[in-house]
Amino acid sequence: MPGGGHCPDCGSTELVEDSHYSQSQLVCSDCGCVVTEGVLTTTFSDEGNLREVTYSRSTGENDQVSRSQQRGLRRVRDLCRVLQLPSTFEDTAVAYYQQAYRHSGIRAARLQKKEVLVGCCVLITCRQHNWPLTMGTVCALLYADLDVFSGTYMQIVKLLGLDVPSLCLADLVKTYCSSFRLFQASPSVPAKYVEDKEKMLSRTLQLVELADETWLVTGRHPLPVITAATFLAWQSLQPLHRLTCSLARFCKLANVDLPYPASSRLQELLSVLLRMAERLAWLQVLKLDKRSVVKHIGDLLQHRHTLVRKAFRDGTAEMEAGEKELRGRCQGPEQGKEEVASSSLNLPEGKRPASPTPLLPPCMLKPPKRICPPPPVSTVTGDENISDSEIEQYLRTPQEIKDFEKAQAARQAARSVSNPP
Amino acid sequence: MAPTLCSALDRVEAEAQGRDLRGPCPAPSRPDPQLGPASPFAPAGLINGPCATRAQSGSAAAQLAWALPPSRLSALLTVGPPPMEEEQTYLELYLDQCAAQDDLTPPGSPLLSPVVPNDGYIPNTSNSETVFNSHLQEVKGASGHFSSVDLSFLPDELTQESKDQSVIRSKQDIEENCKTQSQQSRLSLPREQDMGLGLISDSALSKSHSQAYPGDADSVQPSPEKPNSTPLMSITPMTPVTPVSECSGIVPQLQNIVSTVNLACKLDLKKIALHAKNAEYNPKRFAAVIMRIREPRTTALIFSSGKMVCTGAKSEEQSRLAARKYARVVQKLGFPARFLDFKIQNMVGSCDVRFPIRLEGLVLTHQQFSSYEPELFPGLIYRMVKPRIVLLIFVSGKVVLTGAKERSEIYEAFENIYPILKGFKKA
């Protein structure tokens, strides 16, 4: 009889379930030894011979929890362990998963979504404890698509009514910078490229702070900005040897993926630094460009607050003032903005530093791709007469119908010919 | 009379809040101005701003005693009602008095969600209050209702009434700081780091105007403001807020209208696709005919049940006209189409406020309504409760409003969001 037990006396596996009066017993059919009897108390050896109980009749904490939910909870715990999170995070994430599972929409969701839900719960827990975990990391660990992840994440936050704080940028800088493999010499990292971790961290933090102040971080993915800032910090600490190294090579050395927008963030950050350099007395005489400004980043960062104030005037006040002047003359606020922008560019550069540029996000500094004209005021009432000719233009003539049908049939025939072979 | 009133009120509030309110700002909640470099991002402003706001709230109650005329105070001083109600009546008084000065949304503002526990008629500060409570651990007692009271109107009234009272003089200083404080707390929290920290911590907490440059620059501001605003107060005591705040001057443009109509007859989609030039039908991909017309430039989805969805129009009338044209086309193809239950399902509008917006600050002060995930989407998703509109707010100042069934909802939603966004404009 199946069941995995054998008689302790003779060792045979022929165990029969028989009952002595009303007490069920497991009896060896060879030697007659009673292997187990009754179900009230069992000894350890007895338990080894017990039959498997059906799932629905078992008692235990997994009674109310479905198999897929159990699997999901196990995945949550595994993910927390992989990320080396504190144990309190694990409990919170498990609680969120259980809470989510109570909703019918989640219970009936596809397995892919339930898998992604695991990542969402862990991410929410980390965010609430200000642990810097990016969605990219979670998606990479789960082999999940960011689109699916984002949909599930937004849904679950709304469903559970959670307050999820924003990603803590300072902590993210620290963890991300620490992941760069530049703090020890190795076969791939020459000695000149090795850098002290603390110095690089503090400089990167200052650069990211500067980027935040000058509108380079709002609305953008935080990671590429940090990559660009780390690169600049690293370069500026020993510019002599490191100016020749490109951003891509730097990321390869450091064993970190280069995010695609990082190069444009780098250019934006360099242009901000150049503007600041124009306001620094001993740098004004030097004709700095985007490469040479790296050597002076230390100085620029030291005085960054005053320099930002001097180099950038308040973009909004300037725009409003410009508009008020031009309202009489020009039509449309777009022209006013262009006027203001061009007036700042018209000043001679080179002789003296250009007048302060407005402190605006890069998307506002670029000229608009196409100037949308204001829509003409339409006097449609919705109840006008619709002329027949207007409708006729959308209908096919009988001849056209016949031609169309012929063409369709021909196409079908061609397809069926090509398909079978 | 006045001192006993004050002390009585203090006792009442102390009971409610469980702390002693003698004197000005309690020292323990004074934040460390050196906090800047350690946490350069939004949390820095967060740590300093709310501390100072709460610090001022303690003295708010004391000033309230002086501000109210004795008749009202006696009405309030009924011992017995629980502190909650008393504080609410205080708030009602404030509502009456500051209705004209309130440059935020009016009391009972549409922005309040039922979740907000306080009777917080200033959505900004009360929301920021709950946010700060969750972040800061040094909150003492219950989140006092007084901390959500806006004191911006107080200085003007008080200088009129009680100029000769020397005691008031010192309270005015506190109020000035409160005023600048509440103004600043309404502004974006993640300001330029040292500037913001210097302004908030120096001018508010130390209460002396002879601080370093940042403190001075800010303290200069309240004094010229006072004489200017006083005549305004006297002229418009009970003017409703809307004329004053509705001067955004920007009208959102409608970009898309989605409407549905019932043609009330079964349709043969294959026949429609065959006989109409402007129709496409791919049953494997989608179970409807996609038809387009040129004037007004719209697209329609026509289903075999006779229901039709019309999208792309720029106004309600255009949408109706377009739907009628589609119905006419279906009619001409030989179906007994009618035009029943035309209904506008969704309207999308957009506009530009023309100044950059600190989305991180907005999500901090309006956490209940906003969702900002820069890793997923560059804009902030603001779900306004009344009217029920979803706004997409971008850093460039462009705002997209959607979810409206009526044009007025879009305009109302924009008028509601504009003062909030203006609060984040760097002045």
Side-chain angles (χ1 to χ4, degrees):
Chain A
M1 285 291 237
H6 42 261
C7 173
D9 274 356
C10 63
S12 86
T13 51
E14 302 278 81
L15 299 176
V16 180
E17 237 173 32
D18 200 4
S19 47
H20 179 67
Y21 299 110
S22 56
Q23 188 186 55
S24 63
Q25 288 179 342
L26 208 63
V27 185
C28 170
S29 57
D30 282 347
C31 66
C33 159
V34 176
V35 181
T36 62
E37 61 179 356
V39 287
L40 287 174
T41 56
T42 51
T43 62
F44 184 69
S45 52
D46 278 355
E47 282 179 9
N49 293 315
L50 283 177
R51 299 289 185 194
E52 215 178 291
V53 182
T54 55
Y55 183 75
S56 54
R57 284 169 58 205
S58 71
T59 56
E61 64 175 62
N62 292 331
D63 205 9
Q64 300 298 322
V65 176
S66 69
R67 209 170 285 198
S68 74
Q69 188 177 353
Q70 279 181 54
R71 192 170 148 274
L73 294 174
R74 267 201 305 275
R75 292 284 290 161
V76 170
R77 288 190 211 276
D78 290 344
L79 190 59
C80 289
R81 270 176 226 142
V82 164
L83 291 168
Q84 295 176 339
L85 303 176
S87 55
T88 47
F89 287 34
E90 212 172 294
D91 300 331
T92 321
V94 162
Y96 280 141
Y97 195 88
Q98 284 169 336
Q99 212 180 335
Y101 230 83
R102 284 191 212 122
H103 294 262
S104 58
I106 300 289
R107 274 200 304 270
R110 292 175 196 276
L111 281 178
Q112 186 196 26
K113 192 160 181 175
K114 286 176 178 159
E115 179 72 11
V116 163
L117 184 64
V118 166
C120 293
C121 294
V122 174
L123 181 74
I124 293 172
T125 313
C126 288
R127 281 277 192 95
Q128 290 184 332
H129 291 91
N130 281 330
W131 187 279
L133 181 65
T134 56
M135 293 186 185
T137 315
V138 177
C139 286
L141 286 172
L142 293 176
Y143 304 108
D145 193 13
L146 189 64
D147 298 330
V148 180
F149 187 87
S150 70
T152 314
Y153 176 77
M154 303 300 284
Q155 183 193 0
I156 204 68
V157 167
K158 202 172 169 188
L159 204 57
L160 300 180
L162 296 172
D163 251 347
V164 185
S166 311
L167 195 57
C168 183
L169 216 51
D171 293 333
L172 181 62
V173 169
K174 288 187 197 133
T175 29
Y176 187 57
C177 275
S178 314
S179 73
F180 280 71
R181 298 262 151 273
L182 290 168
F183 311 122
Q184 282 170 348
S186 74
S188 53
V189 180
K192 290 182 202 155
Y193 287 178
V194 175
E195 188 51 69
D196 173 46
K197 188 167 168 184
E198 286 314 312
K199 275 199 257 174
M200 205 158 111
L201 259 181
S202 69
R203 194 162 272 204
T204 310
L205 264 175
Q206 290 175 345
L207 277 169
V208 175
E209 216 186 289
L210 176 67
D212 196 19
E213 221 177 290
T214 51
W215 294 101
L216 298 181
V217 170
T218 311
R220 275 103 168 260
H221 198 297
L223 213 64
V225 183
I226 303 177
T227 314
T230 314
F231 176 61
L232 276 182
W234 174 80
Q235 262 195 336
S236 66
L237 285 169
Q238 269 193 48
L240 210 57
H241 302 125
R242 297 176 184 169
L243 265 179
T244 50
C245 184
S246 71
L247 178 61
R249 188 158 163 248
F250 169 74
C251 289
K252 218 159 150 198
L253 282 173
N255 203 16
V256 165
D257 285 331
L258 172 66
Y260 172 71
S263 36
S264 69
R265 297 295 160 265
L266 181 65
Q267 297 306 311
E268 286 169 359
L269 203 47
L270 282 170
S271 60
V272 165
L273 289 166
L274 267 176
R275 288 256 175 281
M276 285 165 62
E278 283 166 7
R279 295 281 152 182
L280 204 51
W282 60 92
L283 292 180
Q284 276 171 10
V285 289
L286 305 167
K287 294 281 169 63
L288 289 175
D289 64 1
K290 284 192 172 169
R291 286 182 68 85
S292 42
V293 75
V294 177
K295 297 184 228 159
H296 307 281
I297 283 182
D299 287 340
L300 292 173
L301 286 178
Q302 207 178 351
H303 306 279
R304 63 186 181 278
H305 299 297
T306 12
L307 287 176
V308 167
R309 229 180 300 136
K310 276 203 233 167
F312 298 102
R313 63 182 168 188
D314 185 21
T316 59
E318 188 59 44
M319 273 163 70
E320 279 190 344
E323 270 177 43
K324 284 195 182 110
E325 288 173 20
L326 300 160
R327 203 157 273 165
R329 289 182 271 146
C330 312
Q331 285 167 12
E334 296 92 25
Q335 293 182 350
K337 229 204 280 194
E338 286 175 73
E339 287 276 354
V340 169
S342 58
S343 69
S344 70
L345 292 169
N346 282 340
L347 294 161
E349 290 182 0
K351 280 229 162 161
R352 57 185 168 96
S355 79
T357 51
L359 184 57
L360 293 172
C363 54
M364 287 178 88
L365 289 173
K366 287 186 251 181
K369 284 183 214 170
R370 46 199 156 105
I371 298 166
C372 321
V377 176
S378 68
T379 50
V380 173
T381 59
D383 292 318
E384 286 105 336
N385 272 340
I386 303 168
S387 64
D388 276 349
S389 55
E390 191 183 346
I391 302 297
E392 298 288 328
Q393 70 175 314
Y394 294 120
L395 301 177
R396 288 198 174 114
T397 59
Q399 182 58 39
E400 281 176 351
I401 293 172
K402 282 193 206 118
D403 294 339
F404 186 71
E405 272 180 317
K406 256 192 268 174
Q408 259 195 333
R411 195 176 71 166
Q412 274 296 79
R415 235 191 240 158
S416 58
V417 162
S418 61
N419 270 349
Chain B
M1 169 66 169
T4 49
L5 273 174
C6 179
S7 55
L9 279 172
D10 281 354
R11 254 182 278 122
V12 164
E13 210 216 4
E15 277 168 16
Q17 297 190 358
R19 56 186 166 108
D20 188 20
L21 294 174
R22 298 302 126 146
C25 337
S29 51
R30 181 199 208 107
D32 181 8
Q34 300 307 313
L35 211 48
S39 48
F41 301 103
L46 178 59
I47 290 167
N48 282 305
C51 270
T53 329
R54 286 194 59 72
Q56 290 306 314
S57 68
S59 40
Q63 293 148 43
L64 174 56
W66 297 103
L68 301 173
S71 55
R72 277 185 174 168
L73 276 176
S74 53
L76 288 176
L77 276 180
T78 49
V79 187
M84 183 77 92
E85 286 179 16
E86 223 159 353
E87 284 155 0
Q88 281 187 350
T89 44
Y90 289 158
L91 282 178
E92 280 158 21
L93 282 168
Y94 272 113
L95 290 181
D96 291 345
Q97 288 179 348
C98 73
Q101 276 263 327
D102 193 351
D103 50 309
L104 289 180
T105 51
S109 105
L111 288 173
L112 288 176
S113 80
V115 175
V116 175
N118 293 345
D119 189 18
Y121 64 94
I122 308 283
N124 240 354
T125 40
S126 65
N127 289 350
S128 55
E129 189 56 44
T130 49
V131 168
F132 303 144
N133 282 343
S134 65
H135 284 269
L136 299 172
Q137 302 309 314
E138 42 180 309
V139 170
K140 289 185 187 152
S143 61
H145 297 275
F146 282 96
S147 50
S148 61
V149 162
D150 179 24
L151 300 169
S152 58
F153 75 96
L154 261 182
D156 307 302
E157 290 226 319
L158 281 177
T159 47
Q160 292 289 308
E161 287 175 39
S162 47
K163 257 193 183 123
D164 47 355
Q165 293 189 29
S166 56
V167 172
I168 294 293
R169 196 64 58 202
S170 60
K171 303 252 192 240
Q172 271 175 16
D173 289 343
I174 302 170
E175 281 141 31
E176 268 182 19
N177 294 327
C178 284
K179 184 172 169 190
T180 53
Q181 187 47 55
S182 57
Q183 282 173 352
Q184 283 163 11
S185 65
R186 265 186 260 136
L187 295 173
S188 79
L189 294 162
R191 290 149 134 258
E192 296 153 313
Q193 272 63 48
D194 71 332
M195 278 282 281
L197 294 174
L199 281 168
I200 293 171
S201 55
D202 286 351
S203 65
L205 295 172
S206 51
K207 289 200 313 297
S208 74
H209 300 291
S210 57
Q211 283 295 314
Y213 162 66
D216 277 337
D218 194 70
S219 65
V220 167
Q221 283 176 16
S223 18
E225 272 174 65
K226 272 165 59 176
N228 289 339
S229 50
T230 316
L232 182 64
M233 262 310 287
S234 56
I235 290 169
T236 57
M238 283 310 181
T239 318
V241 185
T242 32
V244 179
S245 66
E246 209 176 293
C247 55
S248 66
I250 306 172
V251 181
Q253 266 180 34
L254 288 180
Q255 302 291 350
N256 184 24
I257 314 268
V258 177
S259 56
T260 54
V261 73
N262 185 7
L263 301 175
C265 66
K266 293 277 170 273
L267 302 173
D268 180 359
L269 297 184
K270 272 207 161 55
K271 184 180 173 202
I272 295 178
L274 182 61
H275 287 253
K277 273 192 231 179
N278 55 343
E280 61 182 81
Y281 178 48
N282 194 346
K284 291 193 194 120
R285 204 170 55 156
F286 192 55
V289 163
I290 302 167
M291 194 182 285
R292 292 168 224 270
I293 57 174
R294 281 182 278 274
E295 181 55 46
R297 187 176 277 278
T298 48
T299 305
L301 301 173
I302 306 174
F303 294 85
S304 54
S305 59
K307 299 265 171 63
M308 183 173 80
V309 180
C310 173
T311 61
K314 299 277 190 212
S315 78
E316 303 92 318
E317 299 83 16
Q318 283 185 8
S319 190
R320 188 185 162 82
L321 179 63
R324 283 177 57 225
K325 289 191 183 174
Y326 287 113
R328 266 301 201 84
V329 170
V330 170
Q331 252 180 7
K332 282 247 186 278
L333 290 173
F335 298 97
R338 294 162 66 199
F339 195 76
L340 305 177
D341 310 325
F342 175 79
K343 184 176 178 217
I344 299 212
Q345 301 289 355
N346 184 27
M347 299 172 78
V348 180
S350 72
C351 58
D352 189 1
V353 301
R354 319 206 133 267
F355 51 82
I357 300 168
R358 284 275 176 210
L359 301 178
E360 310 97 347
L362 183 56
V363 77
L364 277 176
T365 49
H366 289 78
Q367 202 158 13
Q368 287 99 313
F369 310 108
S370 334
S371 154
Y372 171 56
E373 294 289 339
E375 298 176 77
L376 294 178
F377 187 64
L380 186 149
I381 303 168
Y382 192 102
R383 292 178 194 275
M384 199 176 280
V385 173
K386 184 185 176 313
R388 206 161 148 268
I389 302 281
V390 174
L391 297 93
L392 301 176
I393 304 170
F394 295 90
V395 68
S396 57
K398 301 227 170 31
V399 180
V400 174
L401 307 99
T402 181
K405 293 265 194 294
E406 299 274 324
R407 188 186 280 249
S408 59
E409 286 177 9
I410 293 215
Y411 295 157
E412 195 187 331
F414 183 68
E415 291 305 322
N416 287 345
I417 201 79
Y418 190 69
I420 295 171
L421 297 179
K422 260 182 85 168
F424 285 91
K425 187 160 78 159
K426 290 204 200 161

